[in-house]
Amino acid sequence: MNSKSKLFVPYRAIGFVSNHIPLSLRYINRRNENIVVTCVGSAFHTYGCSKLNLLSISGQHPGEISCITSDAYLVFTTCKNIIYAWRRGNELKHTYKAPSNVHLMLTFGPHLLAIYEDNTLLVWDIKEEVVAVEIPIANITVSAIVHPSTYLNKILLGSYEGRMQLINIKTCNVIYTFSGWGSPIVVLEQAPAVNVVAIGLESGDIYIHNLKYDETIMKFSQDWGPVIGISFRTDGPPIMATASTLGHVAVWDLEKKQLHSEIRDAHKGSVNGLKFLPNEPLLITSSSDNSIKIWIFDLPDDGGRLLRLREGHSNPPLKIRFHGLNGKNILSSGLDSTLRSFSTEADNLNKNLGQASFNRKAAKKKGLKHDTQKMLPIVDFSSDITREKDWDNIAAIHRHSKIVSTWSYEHCRMGNHKLVPERFKGIKGVEALCVYITSCGNFVLIGYNTGHLDKFNIQSGLHRGFYGRD
C-alpha cells in the first residue's frame, strides 16, 4: 500500500499492543503453537502464545482497522469497505472491495462471510476474490455472527432487536427465526456441545441455548453491564468465561450452574477480546487499555492467575526520551501516571517502572486501579546511566506539582525520595518546570516557576544548594 511520504514510511508502533478491536486466535501447525493477532490502529501485530513474543508486524492500512478475523492460513482485516487477506502476518495476498463498509467477518472454509453496514451478507471466494453469494438480510440488524458446529452451510445471526436467524448460505433461505429475549445480542459463541450456543446480551444476561429444540438450557447474569465476550474451556472442566466493559472476567461452572470465580480488574479498560486456548487451561484477553494477558487456571480451586502479559501506556504518552547511549531503550511517561521503558529491539525487553504514587506500599495492597494517592502524570524527566546500578538514576516532574520524584531503572521501581526545597513547603502555586541529572549521576538540578534553581543529591535526597539569589 502506498504511503504519502517516501522518506518517512511507518515501520512499527512501539509500546502499542492492542486497542478496542477484539483479538483473533489461530493455530499454526508448522509452529505447533497458538498465535494471537491484535489490532494496533492501522496495522496488526502477531504474537506467539507460548512466550507472548512478537512474531510479525503487518503493513500499514490506509486507515484504522475496524475488524479482524483469521483462519489457519490467512489473517483478514477490514479498513472501510476493503477487506485485506494477509499471509504470514505481513504479506498481502488478496483484497476484496465492496460498495459499503464492513461490519463483521467470519471465515467459512474456502469462503469468507462479510456483513456490511447496509445489512448485506456477502460470501467471498477467498482464492478467486469474487462474490459467490449475496444475501440481503431482512427484518433484523445484524450484531453478531457464528457458525454452529456440524450445521452444514448454515450460520446463526444475532441482532440488535434481540432476535436470531438461522440462514442457509447455499440456498439463501432463512431456516428459522428465534424470538430472542428482548435485549440486543452482543456476542454469539459455539459451545463444546453440538446444537448449543452461548448468547451474550447487552442487559448482562447469558443464555445457553439449544438450537435444535429452541430451548434455553441455563441462564446466567453478570452485574457489570453488557456481555461483550464469551469463551469455553475445551480441556475438560465445564467452564465458561464472560467479559465485561468494566474490566472484569466472570468464570461460570456449567455443571453446577453457578458462578465459579471472578477475575476482578483483569484490565483497566473494557475486556474486548477473550478466548480460551484449545485444549489448554489458558485464557487470553485483550483490552482497550493497551494490553494482552494470558491467565492460567491451575489454582487449588481452579481459579485463574496471571501468567504472561504485554502492555503499554493505557493513556497517551506525554514525554519520550532515549535512555543510555546505544539508542536501544526509550523512556516514556504517560497520562496514566506510569513510567515505562520500551526496547527498539524486542518487546520482551520492555519494562514497567510502575505508577507514580505518594504511598507505594498502600497502592500495592489496594491495587493500582484503586490507588487514592496516585500522583499526577509525569510531564518531564531526566536520566543518566553513570550510577544506574548504585542508586536512583531518573528524576521526574509531575504536572502542576513542586514535587520531583526519583526512579530506579535498574530495579524497575519508583524511588523513595520526593525532592522539595524547604522554602517551598506549605506554599501554593509553586511548580517544578525543568529537571536535569548531572553527567556524574550524583546530583539533580530542578528549575521552578519562581525562578529558583536548586540542587539535590539523588542518592540521599538531601538539598545541596541553589544557584542565583535566594
Side-chain angles (χ1 to χ4, degrees):
M1 281 169 277
N2 294 327
S3 179
K4 292 181 180 179
S5 172
K6 299 299 181 182
L7 290 176
F8 303 103
V9 179
Y11 168 60
R12 59 168 295 196
I14 295 177
F16 200 177
V17 179
S18 74
N19 61 6
H20 63 283
I21 304 299
L23 59 83
S24 180
L25 193 65
R26 55 199 296 243
Y27 182 78
I28 306 299
N29 287 321
R30 181 173 54 84
R31 294 181 60 89
N32 193 27
E33 183 183 17
N34 288 291
I35 303 297
V36 60
V37 182
T38 62
C39 177
V40 287
S42 58
F44 65 86
H45 288 178
T46 304
Y47 295 88
C49 288
S50 59
K51 295 181 180 178
L52 269 188
N53 54 318
L54 183 63
L55 301 178
S56 65
I57 304 162
S58 76
Q60 296 289 320
H61 293 65
E64 295 284 315
I65 296 174
S66 58
C67 187
I68 286 182
T69 190
S70 61
D71 60 15
Y73 305 101
L74 298 169
V75 175
F76 300 92
T77 60
T78 64
C79 181
K80 297 180 180 178
N81 64 325
I82 303 176
I83 301 174
Y84 302 90
W86 302 82
R87 189 181 177 189
R88 299 190 184 93
N90 53 17
E91 298 177 11
L92 184 58
K93 194 73 174 175
H94 305 286
T95 56
Y96 315 90
K97 190 173 182 179
S100 178
N101 291 346
V102 182
H103 177 48
L104 294 168
M105 289 191 300
L106 177 70
T107 55
F108 197 84
H111 297 97
L112 175 69
L113 309 184
I115 304 290
Y116 290 83
E117 288 185 352
D118 58 1
N119 219 35
T120 301
L121 169 62
L122 295 186
V123 181
W124 290 92
D125 186 296
I126 293 175
K127 289 186 177 180
E128 300 298 328
E129 299 183 15
V130 295
V131 176
V133 179
E134 181 176 348
I135 306 173
I137 307 300
N139 302 322
I140 64 169
T141 305
V142 181
S143 61
I145 182 172
V146 71
H147 166 56
S149 181
T150 73
Y151 280 48
L152 186 65
N153 297 325
K154 298 174 183 68
I155 58 168
L156 182 67
L157 302 178
S159 70
Y160 291 103
E161 294 80 12
R163 299 189 298 274
M164 297 191 300
Q165 285 186 356
L166 186 65
I167 295 179
N168 188 316
I169 62 172
K170 189 173 183 180
T171 62
C172 303
N173 294 327
V174 177
I175 299 172
Y176 188 78
T177 299
F178 299 85
S179 58
W181 297 272
S183 178
I185 296 172
V186 182
V187 60
L188 296 171
E189 182 69 18
Q190 172 66 47
V194 179
N195 300 319
V196 179
V197 296
I199 302 146
L201 305 182
E202 194 177 87
S203 62
D205 294 333
I206 307 109
Y207 287 88
I208 309 298
H209 198 74
N210 188 303
L211 300 178
K212 186 175 182 179
Y213 300 104
D214 192 9
E215 292 180 353
T216 297
I217 301 172
M218 60 187 81
K219 175 192 173 183
F220 304 101
S221 294
Q222 67 178 24
D223 301 327
W224 307 320
V227 180
I228 57 175
I230 300 176
S231 187
F232 292 89
R233 278 184 70 171
T234 55
D235 63 319
I239 295 295
M240 175 183 70
T242 59
S244 73
T245 55
L246 298 182
H248 310 312
V249 174
V251 182
W252 307 89
D253 190 320
L254 301 178
E255 196 171 69
K256 298 180 180 178
K257 299 183 180 182
Q258 65 183 24
L259 182 67
H260 177 275
S261 59
E262 297 175 348
I263 304 178
R264 290 266 181 172
D265 300 322
H267 289 273
K268 296 178 182 177
S270 173
V271 183
N272 300 106
L274 174 128
K275 292 287 184 183
F276 272 108
L277 271 60
N279 302 314
E280 293 186 61
L282 300 175
L283 176 70
I284 186 164
T285 59
S286 69
S287 171
S288 55
D289 69 355
N290 192 24
S291 68
I292 53 175
K293 300 181 180 182
I294 293 182
W295 310 83
I296 183 169
F297 290 78
D298 63 349
L299 298 177
D301 61 348
D302 276 339
R305 64 178 176 87
L306 184 62
L307 181 64
R308 302 183 191 95
L309 82 158
R310 287 283 179 268
E311 61 179 351
H313 288 294
S314 57
N315 286 313
L318 292 174
K319 180 81 174 182
I320 61 171
R321 178 173 291 172
F322 277 103
H323 177 70
L325 303 175
N326 55 16
K328 295 181 179 180
N329 297 296
I330 298 174
L331 281 174
S332 172
S333 64
L335 280 172
D336 53 2
S337 295
T338 63
L339 186 64
R340 298 177 182 271
S341 171
F342 298 108
S343 171
T344 58
E345 291 186 319
D347 273 18
N348 59 346
L349 300 178
N350 293 350
K351 295 181 179 181
N352 181 10
L353 278 69
Q355 180 176 283
S357 175
F358 287 103
N359 191 332
R360 289 190 298 113
K361 291 183 178 179
K364 196 172 182 180
K365 290 180 180 179
K366 294 180 180 178
L368 297 180
K369 192 174 181 179
H370 305 287
D371 183 14
T372 56
Q373 300 188 61
K374 182 173 75 171
M375 299 180 71
L376 290 172
I378 297 170
V379 294
D380 195 11
F381 57 84
S382 177
S383 66
D384 188 83
I385 62 172
T386 307
R387 307 304 294 269
E388 184 175 280
K389 297 184 181 298
D390 300 321
W391 49 70
D392 295 350
N393 65 315
I394 301 171
I397 292 174
H398 299 263
R399 177 180 289 175
H400 306 313
S401 176
K402 58 192 169 188
I403 298 175
V404 173
S405 58
T406 63
W407 302 72
S408 172
Y409 187 86
E410 177 70 16
H411 299 104
C412 296
R413 63 172 179 82
M414 189 179 184
N416 297 319
H417 303 310
K418 306 288 189 298
L419 308 179
V420 183
E422 286 290 336
R423 74 165 81 85
F424 292 146
K425 289 185 177 179
I427 300 178
K428 296 182 179 179
V430 179
E431 295 181 19
L433 298 180
C434 53
V435 65
Y436 182 75
I437 294 181
T438 57
S439 57
C440 63
N442 293 308
F443 299 102
V444 181
L445 303 178
I446 307 170
Y448 299 89
N449 62 346
T450 58
H452 293 87
L453 181 62
D454 287 77
K455 180 171 71 172
F456 288 84
N457 183 289
I458 195 169
Q459 180 186 10
S460 62
L462 297 177
H463 188 263
R464 291 305 188 192
F466 59 89
Y467 296 90
R469 296 180 179 178
D470 191 7

